[in-house]
PDB file of all heavy atoms in Angstrom:
ATOM      1  N   LEU A   2      26.233 -12.919  18.240  1.00  0.00           N
ATOM      2  CA  LEU A   2      25.127 -12.036  18.682  1.00  0.00           C
ATOM      3  C   LEU A   2      24.564 -11.274  17.467  1.00  0.00           C
ATOM      4  O   LEU A   2      23.304 -11.149  17.279  1.00  0.00           O
ATOM      5  CB  LEU A   2      25.529 -11.064  19.736  1.00  0.00           C
ATOM      6  CG  LEU A   2      24.486 -10.014  20.209  1.00  0.00           C
ATOM      7  CD1 LEU A   2      23.300 -10.720  20.802  1.00  0.00           C
ATOM      8  CD2 LEU A   2      25.120  -9.080  21.173  1.00  0.00           C
ATOM      9  N   LEU A   3      25.453 -10.796  16.598  1.00  0.00           N
ATOM     10  CA  LEU A   3      24.988 -10.094  15.420  1.00  0.00           C
ATOM     11  C   LEU A   3      24.217 -11.047  14.431  1.00  0.00           C
ATOM     12  O   LEU A   3      23.244 -10.658  13.766  1.00  0.00           O
ATOM     13  CB  LEU A   3      26.181  -9.489  14.641  1.00  0.00           C
ATOM     14  CG  LEU A   3      26.890  -8.326  15.344  1.00  0.00           C
ATOM     15  CD1 LEU A   3      28.097  -7.927  14.580  1.00  0.00           C
ATOM     16  CD2 LEU A   3      25.896  -7.145  15.453  1.00  0.00           C
ATOM     17  N   ALA A   4      24.645 -12.328  14.392  1.00  0.00           N
ATOM     18  CA  ALA A   4      23.899 -13.283  13.552  1.00  0.00           C
ATOM     19  C   ALA A   4      22.489 -13.468  14.109  1.00  0.00           C
ATOM     20  O   ALA A   4      21.568 -13.607  13.311  1.00  0.00           O
ATOM     21  CB  ALA A   4      24.754 -14.520  13.579  1.00  0.00           C
ATOM     22  N   ILE A   5      22.316 -13.586  15.448  1.00  0.00           N
ATOM     23  CA  ILE A   5      21.025 -13.748  16.018  1.00  0.00           C
ATOM     24  C   ILE A   5      20.178 -12.528  15.705  1.00  0.00           C
ATOM     25  O   ILE A   5      19.001 -12.671  15.284  1.00  0.00           O
ATOM     26  CB  ILE A   5      21.163 -13.988  17.522  1.00  0.00           C
ATOM     27  CG1 ILE A   5      21.860 -15.233  17.800  1.00  0.00           C
ATOM     28  CG2 ILE A   5      19.807 -13.974  18.252  1.00  0.00           C
ATOM     29  CD1 ILE A   5      22.161 -15.482  19.270  1.00  0.00           C
ATOM     30  N   ILE A   6      20.727 -11.323  15.848  1.00  0.00           N
ATOM     31  CA  ILE A   6      19.904 -10.128  15.534  1.00  0.00           C
ATOM     32  C   ILE A   6      19.525 -10.064  14.056  1.00  0.00           C
ATOM     33  O   ILE A   6      18.417  -9.668  13.683  1.00  0.00           O
ATOM     34  CB  ILE A   6      20.712  -8.908  15.942  1.00  0.00           C
ATOM     35  CG1 ILE A   6      20.914  -8.837  17.417  1.00  0.00           C
ATOM     36  CG2 ILE A   6      19.993  -7.598  15.499  1.00  0.00           C
ATOM     37  CD1 ILE A   6      21.871  -7.794  17.927  1.00  0.00           C
ATOM     38  N   ALA A   7      20.475 -10.457  13.165  1.00  0.00           N
ATOM     39  CA  ALA A   7      20.148 -10.470  11.792  1.00  0.00           C
ATOM     40  C   ALA A   7      19.057 -11.429  11.407  1.00  0.00           C
ATOM     41  O   ALA A   7      18.183 -11.192  10.603  1.00  0.00           O
ATOM     42  CB  ALA A   7      21.426 -10.796  10.950  1.00  0.00           C
ATOM     43  N   ALA A   8      19.080 -12.636  12.061  1.00  0.00           N
ATOM     44  CA  ALA A   8      18.116 -13.606  11.774  1.00  0.00           C
ATOM     45  C   ALA A   8      16.719 -13.116  12.258  1.00  0.00           C
ATOM     46  O   ALA A   8      15.648 -13.304  11.583  1.00  0.00           O
ATOM     47  CB  ALA A   8      18.404 -14.969  12.506  1.00  0.00           C
ATOM     48  N   ILE A   9      16.644 -12.443  13.389  1.00  0.00           N
ATOM     49  CA  ILE A   9      15.361 -11.856  13.860  1.00  0.00           C
ATOM     50  C   ILE A   9      14.848 -10.829  12.965  1.00  0.00           C
ATOM     51  O   ILE A   9      13.749 -10.688  12.608  1.00  0.00           O
ATOM     52  CB  ILE A   9      15.542 -11.364  15.303  1.00  0.00           C
ATOM     53  CG1 ILE A   9      15.823 -12.508  16.275  1.00  0.00           C
ATOM     54  CG2 ILE A   9      14.264 -10.593  15.760  1.00  0.00           C
ATOM     55  CD1 ILE A   9      16.187 -12.059  17.688  1.00  0.00           C
ATOM     56  N   THR A  10      15.796 -10.002  12.469  1.00  0.00           N
ATOM     57  CA  THR A  10      15.432  -8.842  11.523  1.00  0.00           C
ATOM     58  C   THR A  10      14.891  -9.425  10.184  1.00  0.00           C
ATOM     59  O   THR A  10      13.972  -8.916   9.653  1.00  0.00           O
ATOM     60  CB  THR A  10      16.699  -8.007  11.239  1.00  0.00           C
ATOM     61  OG1 THR A  10      17.221  -7.494  12.463  1.00  0.00           O
ATOM     62  CG2 THR A  10      16.334  -6.813  10.386  1.00  0.00           C
ATOM     63  N   LEU A  11      15.417 -10.531   9.748  1.00  0.00           N
ATOM     64  CA  LEU A  11      14.901 -11.162   8.484  1.00  0.00           C
ATOM     65  C   LEU A  11      13.574 -11.691   8.667  1.00  0.00           C
ATOM     66  O   LEU A  11      12.737 -11.565   7.722  1.00  0.00           O
ATOM     67  CB  LEU A  11      15.885 -12.285   8.049  1.00  0.00           C
ATOM     68  CG  LEU A  11      17.208 -11.843   7.465  1.00  0.00           C
ATOM     69  CD1 LEU A  11      18.109 -13.059   7.211  1.00  0.00           C
ATOM     70  CD2 LEU A  11      16.991 -11.073   6.145  1.00  0.00           C
ATOM     71  N   THR A  12      13.233 -12.216   9.826  1.00  0.00           N
ATOM     72  CA  THR A  12      11.883 -12.778  10.021  1.00  0.00           C
ATOM     73  C   THR A  12      10.905 -11.657  10.287  1.00  0.00           C
ATOM     74  O   THR A  12       9.675 -11.979  10.229  1.00  0.00           O
ATOM     75  CB  THR A  12      11.898 -13.751  11.238  1.00  0.00           C
ATOM     76  OG1 THR A  12      12.349 -13.081  12.392  1.00  0.00           O
ATOM     77  CG2 THR A  12      12.775 -14.932  10.944  1.00  0.00           C
ATOM     78  N   MET A  13      11.297 -10.511  10.656  1.00  0.00           N
ATOM     79  CA  MET A  13      10.358  -9.409  10.943  1.00  0.00           C
ATOM     80  C   MET A  13      10.077  -8.471   9.814  1.00  0.00           C
ATOM     81  O   MET A  13       9.547  -7.369   9.952  1.00  0.00           O
ATOM     82  CB  MET A  13      10.885  -8.611  12.196  1.00  0.00           C
ATOM     83  CG  MET A  13      10.931  -9.370  13.484  1.00  0.00           C
ATOM     84  SD  MET A  13       9.302  -9.946  13.953  1.00  0.00           S
ATOM     85  CE  MET A  13       8.570  -8.360  14.387  1.00  0.00           C
ATOM     86  N   ARG A  14      10.549  -8.822   8.590  1.00  0.00           N
ATOM     87  CA  ARG A  14      10.371  -7.908   7.483  1.00  0.00           C
ATOM     88  C   ARG A  14       8.858  -7.907   7.102  1.00  0.00           C
ATOM     89  O   ARG A  14       8.107  -8.782   7.438  1.00  0.00           O
ATOM     90  CB  ARG A  14      11.170  -8.465   6.267  1.00  0.00           C
ATOM     91  CG  ARG A  14      10.624  -9.618   5.621  1.00  0.00           C
ATOM     92  CD  ARG A  14      11.583 -10.104   4.476  1.00  0.00           C
ATOM     93  NE  ARG A  14      10.920 -11.012   3.535  1.00  0.00           N
ATOM     94  CZ  ARG A  14      10.786 -12.249   3.726  1.00  0.00           C
ATOM     95  NH1 ARG A  14      11.194 -12.867   4.868  1.00  0.00           N
ATOM     96  NH2 ARG A  14      10.286 -13.042   2.829  1.00  0.00           N
ATOM     97  N   LYS A  15       8.453  -6.792   6.366  1.00  0.00           N
ATOM     98  CA  LYS A  15       7.116  -6.600   6.018  1.00  0.00           C
ATOM     99  C   LYS A  15       6.737  -7.396   4.837  1.00  0.00           C
ATOM    100  O   LYS A  15       7.386  -7.471   3.840  1.00  0.00           O
ATOM    101  CB  LYS A  15       6.836  -5.133   5.743  1.00  0.00           C
ATOM    102  CG  LYS A  15       6.974  -4.280   6.963  1.00  0.00           C
ATOM    103  CD  LYS A  15       6.676  -2.792   6.701  1.00  0.00           C
ATOM    104  CE  LYS A  15       6.815  -1.894   7.880  1.00  0.00           C
ATOM    105  NZ  LYS A  15       6.467  -0.521   7.630  1.00  0.00           N
ATOM    106  N   ARG A  16       5.594  -8.136   4.927  1.00  0.00           N
ATOM    107  CA  ARG A  16       5.044  -8.963   3.845  1.00  0.00           C
ATOM    108  C   ARG A  16       3.554  -8.919   3.951  1.00  0.00           C
ATOM    109  O   ARG A  16       2.981  -8.757   5.063  1.00  0.00           O
ATOM    110  CB  ARG A  16       5.670 -10.277   3.719  1.00  0.00           C
ATOM    111  CG  ARG A  16       5.418 -11.206   4.984  1.00  0.00           C
ATOM    112  CD  ARG A  16       6.104 -12.562   4.806  1.00  0.00           C
ATOM    113  NE  ARG A  16       5.914 -13.390   5.850  1.00  0.00           N
ATOM    114  CZ  ARG A  16       6.735 -13.596   6.845  1.00  0.00           C
ATOM    115  NH1 ARG A  16       7.832 -12.890   6.822  1.00  0.00           N
ATOM    116  NH2 ARG A  16       6.508 -14.414   7.852  1.00  0.00           N
ATOM    117  N   PRO A  17       2.838  -9.248   2.895  1.00  0.00           N
ATOM    118  CA  PRO A  17       1.381  -9.238   2.906  1.00  0.00           C
ATOM    119  C   PRO A  17       0.819 -10.214   3.989  1.00  0.00           C
ATOM    120  O   PRO A  17       1.315 -11.386   4.032  1.00  0.00           O
ATOM    121  CB  PRO A  17       0.979  -9.652   1.487  1.00  0.00           C
ATOM    122  CG  PRO A  17       2.125  -9.280   0.654  1.00  0.00           C
ATOM    123  CD  PRO A  17       3.313  -9.455   1.473  1.00  0.00           C
ATOM    124  N   GLY A  18      -0.115  -9.782   4.706  1.00  0.00           N
ATOM    125  CA  GLY A  18      -0.756 -10.678   5.719  1.00  0.00           C
ATOM    126  C   GLY A  18       0.027 -10.747   7.034  1.00  0.00           C
ATOM    127  O   GLY A  18      -0.461 -11.503   7.890  1.00  0.00           O
ATOM    128  N   LEU A  19       1.089 -10.076   7.151  1.00  0.00           N
ATOM    129  CA  LEU A  19       1.876 -10.142   8.411  1.00  0.00           C
ATOM    130  C   LEU A  19       1.272  -9.218   9.488  1.00  0.00           C
ATOM    131  O   LEU A  19       1.044  -8.051   9.244  1.00  0.00           O
ATOM    132  CB  LEU A  19       3.398  -9.729   8.132  1.00  0.00           C
ATOM    133  CG  LEU A  19       4.254  -9.778   9.329  1.00  0.00           C
ATOM    134  CD1 LEU A  19       4.445 -11.174   9.840  1.00  0.00           C
ATOM    135  CD2 LEU A  19       5.607  -9.159   8.972  1.00  0.00           C
ATOM    136  N   LYS A  20       0.986  -9.805  10.591  1.00  0.00           N
ATOM    137  CA  LYS A  20       0.438  -9.100  11.730  1.00  0.00           C
ATOM    138  C   LYS A  20       1.503  -8.630  12.661  1.00  0.00           C
ATOM    139  O   LYS A  20       2.251  -9.464  13.179  1.00  0.00           O
ATOM    140  CB  LYS A  20      -0.552  -9.885  12.482  1.00  0.00           C
ATOM    141  CG  LYS A  20      -1.787 -10.264  11.615  1.00  0.00           C
ATOM    142  CD  LYS A  20      -2.864 -11.099  12.473  1.00  0.00           C
ATOM    143  CE  LYS A  20      -4.047 -11.423  11.673  1.00  0.00           C
ATOM    144  NZ  LYS A  20      -5.035 -12.225  12.413  1.00  0.00           N
ATOM    145  N   VAL A  21       1.732  -7.338  12.814  1.00  0.00           N
ATOM    146  CA  VAL A  21       2.747  -6.811  13.696  1.00  0.00           C
ATOM    147  C   VAL A  21       2.107  -6.130  14.943  1.00  0.00           C
ATOM    148  O   VAL A  21       0.924  -5.690  14.932  1.00  0.00           O
ATOM    149  CB  VAL A  21       3.634  -5.774  12.909  1.00  0.00           C
ATOM    150  CG1 VAL A  21       4.330  -6.467  11.797  1.00  0.00           C
ATOM    151  CG2 VAL A  21       2.771  -4.603  12.377  1.00  0.00           C
ATOM    152  N   GLN A  22       2.918  -6.026  15.896  1.00  0.00           N
ATOM    153  CA  GLN A  22       2.424  -5.414  17.195  1.00  0.00           C
ATOM    154  C   GLN A  22       2.945  -3.936  17.199  1.00  0.00           C
ATOM    155  O   GLN A  22       4.128  -3.662  17.121  1.00  0.00           O
ATOM    156  CB  GLN A  22       3.033  -6.209  18.327  1.00  0.00           C
ATOM    157  CG  GLN A  22       2.527  -5.816  19.714  1.00  0.00           C
ATOM    158  CD  GLN A  22       3.035  -6.678  20.843  1.00  0.00           C
ATOM    159  OE1 GLN A  22       4.024  -7.427  20.560  1.00  0.00           O
ATOM    160  NE2 GLN A  22       2.491  -6.589  21.947  1.00  0.00           N
ATOM    161  N   ASN A  23       1.955  -3.026  17.437  1.00  0.00           N
ATOM    162  CA  ASN A  23       2.245  -1.615  17.619  1.00  0.00           C
ATOM    163  C   ASN A  23       2.197  -1.296  19.048  1.00  0.00           C
ATOM    164  O   ASN A  23       1.092  -1.119  19.652  1.00  0.00           O
ATOM    165  CB  ASN A  23       1.279  -0.769  16.743  1.00  0.00           C
ATOM    166  CG  ASN A  23       1.796   0.683  16.633  1.00  0.00           C
ATOM    167  OD1 ASN A  23       2.441   1.180  17.552  1.00  0.00           O
ATOM    168  ND2 ASN A  23       1.448   1.296  15.524  1.00  0.00           N
ATOM    169  N   ILE A  24       3.359  -1.177  19.682  1.00  0.00           N
ATOM    170  CA  ILE A  24       3.376  -0.917  21.111  1.00  0.00           C
ATOM    171  C   ILE A  24       2.803   0.443  21.517  1.00  0.00           C
ATOM    172  O   ILE A  24       2.108   0.616  22.464  1.00  0.00           O
ATOM    173  CB  ILE A  24       4.844  -1.086  21.682  1.00  0.00           C
ATOM    174  CG1 ILE A  24       5.464  -2.384  21.274  1.00  0.00           C
ATOM    175  CG2 ILE A  24       4.887  -0.863  23.208  1.00  0.00           C
ATOM    176  CD1 ILE A  24       4.744  -3.536  21.870  1.00  0.00           C
ATOM    177  N   ALA A  25       3.060   1.476  20.662  1.00  0.00           N
ATOM    178  CA  ALA A  25       2.561   2.833  20.988  1.00  0.00           C
ATOM    179  C   ALA A  25       1.044   2.875  21.023  1.00  0.00           C
ATOM    180  O   ALA A  25       0.454   3.489  21.874  1.00  0.00           O
ATOM    181  CB  ALA A  25       3.071   3.802  19.991  1.00  0.00           C
ATOM    182  N   LYS A  26       0.392   2.229  20.084  1.00  0.00           N
ATOM    183  CA  LYS A  26      -1.066   2.229  20.051  1.00  0.00           C
ATOM    184  C   LYS A  26      -1.606   1.451  21.230  1.00  0.00           C
ATOM    185  O   LYS A  26      -2.672   1.813  21.738  1.00  0.00           O
ATOM    186  CB  LYS A  26      -1.569   1.616  18.721  1.00  0.00           C
ATOM    187  CG  LYS A  26      -1.366   2.474  17.477  1.00  0.00           C
ATOM    188  CD  LYS A  26      -1.967   1.775  16.276  1.00  0.00           C
ATOM    189  CE  LYS A  26      -1.772   2.719  15.011  1.00  0.00           C
ATOM    190  NZ  LYS A  26      -2.364   2.067  13.809  1.00  0.00           N
ATOM    191  N   GLN A  27      -0.982   0.376  21.603  1.00  0.00           N
ATOM    192  CA  GLN A  27      -1.459  -0.441  22.717  1.00  0.00           C
ATOM    193  C   GLN A  27      -1.333   0.370  24.027  1.00  0.00           C
ATOM    194  O   GLN A  27      -2.221   0.320  24.893  1.00  0.00           O
ATOM    195  CB  GLN A  27      -0.692  -1.698  22.830  1.00  0.00           C
ATOM    196  CG  GLN A  27      -0.939  -2.703  21.739  1.00  0.00           C
ATOM    197  CD  GLN A  27      -0.142  -3.950  21.888  1.00  0.00           C
ATOM    198  OE1 GLN A  27       0.801  -4.006  22.586  1.00  0.00           O
ATOM    199  NE2 GLN A  27      -0.563  -4.975  21.137  1.00  0.00           N
ATOM    200  N   VAL A  28      -0.288   1.132  24.224  1.00  0.00           N
ATOM    201  CA  VAL A  28      -0.087   1.958  25.405  1.00  0.00           C
ATOM    202  C   VAL A  28      -1.097   3.130  25.458  1.00  0.00           C
ATOM    203  O   VAL A  28      -1.641   3.514  26.514  1.00  0.00           O
ATOM    204  CB  VAL A  28       1.382   2.379  25.529  1.00  0.00           C
ATOM    205  CG1 VAL A  28       1.526   3.420  26.690  1.00  0.00           C
ATOM    206  CG2 VAL A  28       2.277   1.249  25.715  1.00  0.00           C
ATOM    207  N   ALA A  29      -1.341   3.694  24.268  1.00  0.00           N
ATOM    208  CA  ALA A  29      -2.239   4.895  24.260  1.00  0.00           C
ATOM    209  C   ALA A  29      -3.704   4.631  24.240  1.00  0.00           C
ATOM    210  O   ALA A  29      -4.507   5.501  24.301  1.00  0.00           O
ATOM    211  CB  ALA A  29      -1.885   5.786  22.950  1.00  0.00           C
ATOM    212  N   VAL A  30      -4.061   3.336  24.200  1.00  0.00           N
ATOM    213  CA  VAL A  30      -5.520   3.000  24.155  1.00  0.00           C
ATOM    214  C   VAL A  30      -6.142   3.332  25.501  1.00  0.00           C
ATOM    215  O   VAL A  30      -5.574   3.264  26.570  1.00  0.00           O
ATOM    216  CB  VAL A  30      -5.693   1.553  23.816  1.00  0.00           C
ATOM    217  CG1 VAL A  30      -5.248   0.627  24.972  1.00  0.00           C
ATOM    218  CG2 VAL A  30      -7.076   1.236  23.378  1.00  0.00           C
ATOM    219  N   ARG A  31      -7.476   3.744  25.427  1.00  0.00           N
ATOM    220  CA  ARG A  31      -8.184   3.979  26.700  1.00  0.00           C
ATOM    221  C   ARG A  31      -9.270   2.929  26.868  1.00  0.00           C
ATOM    222  O   ARG A  31      -9.753   2.300  26.030  1.00  0.00           O
ATOM    223  CB  ARG A  31      -8.874   5.387  26.583  1.00  0.00           C
ATOM    224  CG  ARG A  31      -7.825   6.533  26.446  1.00  0.00           C
ATOM    225  CD  ARG A  31      -8.571   7.838  26.225  1.00  0.00           C
ATOM    226  NE  ARG A  31      -9.250   7.856  24.940  1.00  0.00           N
ATOM    227  CZ  ARG A  31     -10.010   8.853  24.492  1.00  0.00           C
ATOM    228  NH1 ARG A  31     -10.162   9.982  25.227  1.00  0.00           N
ATOM    229  NH2 ARG A  31     -10.592   8.810  23.317  1.00  0.00           N
ATOM    230  N   ALA A  32      -9.626   2.871  28.115  1.00  0.00           N
ATOM    231  CA  ALA A  32     -10.554   1.790  28.505  1.00  0.00           C
ATOM    232  C   ALA A  32     -11.928   1.953  27.840  1.00  0.00           C
ATOM    233  O   ALA A  32     -12.546   1.028  27.353  1.00  0.00           O
ATOM    234  CB  ALA A  32     -10.716   1.758  30.021  1.00  0.00           C
ATOM    235  N   LYS A  33     -12.368   3.234  27.704  1.00  0.00           N
ATOM    236  CA  LYS A  33     -13.657   3.454  27.173  1.00  0.00           C
ATOM    237  C   LYS A  33     -13.727   3.195  25.671  1.00  0.00           C
ATOM    238  O   LYS A  33     -14.837   3.059  25.118  1.00  0.00           O
ATOM    239  CB  LYS A  33     -14.143   4.951  27.418  1.00  0.00           C
ATOM    240  CG  LYS A  33     -13.275   6.002  26.746  1.00  0.00           C
ATOM    241  CD  LYS A  33     -13.808   7.342  27.044  1.00  0.00           C
ATOM    242  CE  LYS A  33     -13.039   8.391  26.325  1.00  0.00           C
ATOM    243  NZ  LYS A  33     -13.490   9.821  26.665  1.00  0.00           N
ATOM    244  N   ASP A  34     -12.533   3.144  25.014  1.00  0.00           N
ATOM    245  CA  ASP A  34     -12.496   2.789  23.622  1.00  0.00           C
ATOM    246  C   ASP A  34     -12.664   1.315  23.395  1.00  0.00           C
ATOM    247  O   ASP A  34     -12.940   0.845  22.253  1.00  0.00           O
ATOM    248  CB  ASP A  34     -11.165   3.282  22.966  1.00  0.00           C
ATOM    249  CG  ASP A  34     -11.078   4.868  23.020  1.00  0.00           C
ATOM    250  OD1 ASP A  34     -12.146   5.474  23.040  1.00  0.00           O
ATOM    251  OD2 ASP A  34      -9.953   5.307  23.037  1.00  0.00           O
ATOM    252  N   ARG A  35     -12.345   0.562  24.339  1.00  0.00           N
ATOM    253  CA  ARG A  35     -12.327  -0.907  24.239  1.00  0.00           C
ATOM    254  C   ARG A  35     -13.496  -1.554  25.002  1.00  0.00           C
ATOM    255  O   ARG A  35     -13.894  -2.699  24.584  1.00  0.00           O
ATOM    256  CB  ARG A  35     -11.039  -1.518  24.835  1.00  0.00           C
ATOM    257  CG  ARG A  35      -9.812  -1.063  23.990  1.00  0.00           C
ATOM    258  CD  ARG A  35      -9.782  -1.740  22.603  1.00  0.00           C
ATOM    259  NE  ARG A  35      -8.644  -1.439  21.868  1.00  0.00           N
ATOM    260  CZ  ARG A  35      -7.550  -2.188  21.819  1.00  0.00           C
ATOM    261  NH1 ARG A  35      -7.464  -3.241  22.550  1.00  0.00           N
ATOM    262  NH2 ARG A  35      -6.518  -1.790  21.072  1.00  0.00           N
ATOM    263  N   ILE A  36     -14.002  -0.932  26.009  1.00  0.00           N
ATOM    264  CA  ILE A  36     -15.047  -1.611  26.866  1.00  0.00           C
ATOM    265  C   ILE A  36     -16.300  -0.774  26.798  1.00  0.00           C
ATOM    266  O   ILE A  36     -16.229   0.466  26.954  1.00  0.00           O
ATOM    267  CB  ILE A  36     -14.575  -1.700  28.328  1.00  0.00           C
ATOM    268  CG1 ILE A  36     -13.275  -2.551  28.394  1.00  0.00           C
ATOM    269  CG2 ILE A  36     -15.630  -2.337  29.209  1.00  0.00           C
ATOM    270  CD1 ILE A  36     -12.636  -2.575  29.764  1.00  0.00           C
ATOM    271  N   ARG A  37     -17.446  -1.385  26.606  1.00  0.00           N
ATOM    272  CA  ARG A  37     -18.714  -0.750  26.623  1.00  0.00           C
ATOM    273  C   ARG A  37     -19.500  -1.282  27.805  1.00  0.00           C
ATOM    274  O   ARG A  37     -19.730  -2.467  27.872  1.00  0.00           O
ATOM    275  CB  ARG A  37     -19.465  -1.018  25.323  1.00  0.00           C
ATOM    276  CG  ARG A  37     -20.808  -0.228  25.226  1.00  0.00           C
ATOM    277  CD  ARG A  37     -21.287  -0.153  23.821  1.00  0.00           C
ATOM    278  NE  ARG A  37     -21.428  -1.559  23.261  1.00  0.00           N
ATOM    279  CZ  ARG A  37     -22.624  -2.195  23.292  1.00  0.00           C
ATOM    280  NH1 ARG A  37     -23.713  -1.672  23.857  1.00  0.00           N
ATOM    281  NH2 ARG A  37     -22.718  -3.446  22.797  1.00  0.00           N
ATOM    282  N   VAL A  38     -19.814  -0.400  28.719  1.00  0.00           N
ATOM    283  CA  VAL A  38     -20.574  -0.762  29.925  1.00  0.00           C
ATOM    284  C   VAL A  38     -22.128  -0.652  29.594  1.00  0.00           C
ATOM    285  O   VAL A  38     -22.585   0.412  29.231  1.00  0.00           O
ATOM    286  CB  VAL A  38     -20.173   0.099  31.086  1.00  0.00           C
ATOM    287  CG1 VAL A  38     -21.022  -0.314  32.340  1.00  0.00           C
ATOM    288  CG2 VAL A  38     -18.699   0.017  31.370  1.00  0.00           C
ATOM    289  N   VAL A  39     -22.822  -1.708  29.800  1.00  0.00           N
ATOM    290  CA  VAL A  39     -24.213  -1.804  29.513  1.00  0.00           C
ATOM    291  C   VAL A  39     -24.918  -1.891  30.921  1.00  0.00           C
ATOM    292  O   VAL A  39     -24.606  -2.832  31.681  1.00  0.00           O
ATOM    293  CB  VAL A  39     -24.572  -3.006  28.686  1.00  0.00           C
ATOM    294  CG1 VAL A  39     -26.070  -3.035  28.438  1.00  0.00           C
ATOM    295  CG2 VAL A  39     -23.870  -2.925  27.314  1.00  0.00           C
ATOM    296  N   LYS A  40     -25.837  -0.913  31.226  1.00  0.00           N
ATOM    297  CA  LYS A  40     -26.572  -0.961  32.464  1.00  0.00           C
ATOM    298  C   LYS A  40     -27.902  -1.705  32.202  1.00  0.00           C
ATOM    299  O   LYS A  40     -28.634  -1.387  31.268  1.00  0.00           O
ATOM    300  CB  LYS A  40     -26.825   0.462  32.901  1.00  0.00           C
ATOM    301  CG  LYS A  40     -25.570   1.155  33.335  1.00  0.00           C
ATOM    302  CD  LYS A  40     -25.863   2.577  33.836  1.00  0.00           C
ATOM    303  CE  LYS A  40     -24.597   3.300  34.305  1.00  0.00           C
ATOM    304  NZ  LYS A  40     -24.853   4.663  34.848  1.00  0.00           N
ATOM    305  N   MET A  41     -28.153  -2.621  33.098  1.00  0.00           N
ATOM    306  CA  MET A  41     -29.367  -3.372  33.046  1.00  0.00           C
ATOM    307  C   MET A  41     -30.079  -3.441  34.363  1.00  0.00           C
ATOM    308  O   MET A  41     -29.371  -3.364  35.420  1.00  0.00           O
ATOM    309  CB  MET A  41     -29.110  -4.807  32.569  1.00  0.00           C
ATOM    310  CG  MET A  41     -28.474  -4.913  31.172  1.00  0.00           C
ATOM    311  SD  MET A  41     -28.057  -6.607  30.718  1.00  0.00           S
ATOM    312  CE  MET A  41     -29.691  -7.386  30.740  1.00  0.00           C
TER     313      MET A  41
END
């Protein structure tokens, strides 16, 4: 189990161009910041 966790940790290290997921920002986002309602 420790070997599996170590392998995952090695692949998640920071390097240029790596896109990571920020859970806190995703949870804190509001609908009006992402969606623009256009009335026609």
Side-chain angles (χ1 to χ4, degrees):
L2 177 62
L3 291 176
I5 294 172
I6 295 172
I9 295 172
T10 305
L11 286 174
T12 57
M13 294 298 292
R14 75 185 196 278
K15 294 182 179 179
R16 59 179 182 264
L19 179 65
K20 295 181 179 179
V21 296
Q22 186 177 13
N23 193 329
I24 306 297
K26 288 183 178 179
Q27 290 179 346
V28 173
V30 73
R31 294 176 297 178
K33 65 179 183 179
D34 296 333
R35 294 291 181 92
I36 301 174
R37 184 165 57 94
V38 179
V39 179
K40 294 184 179 181
M41 299 177 61

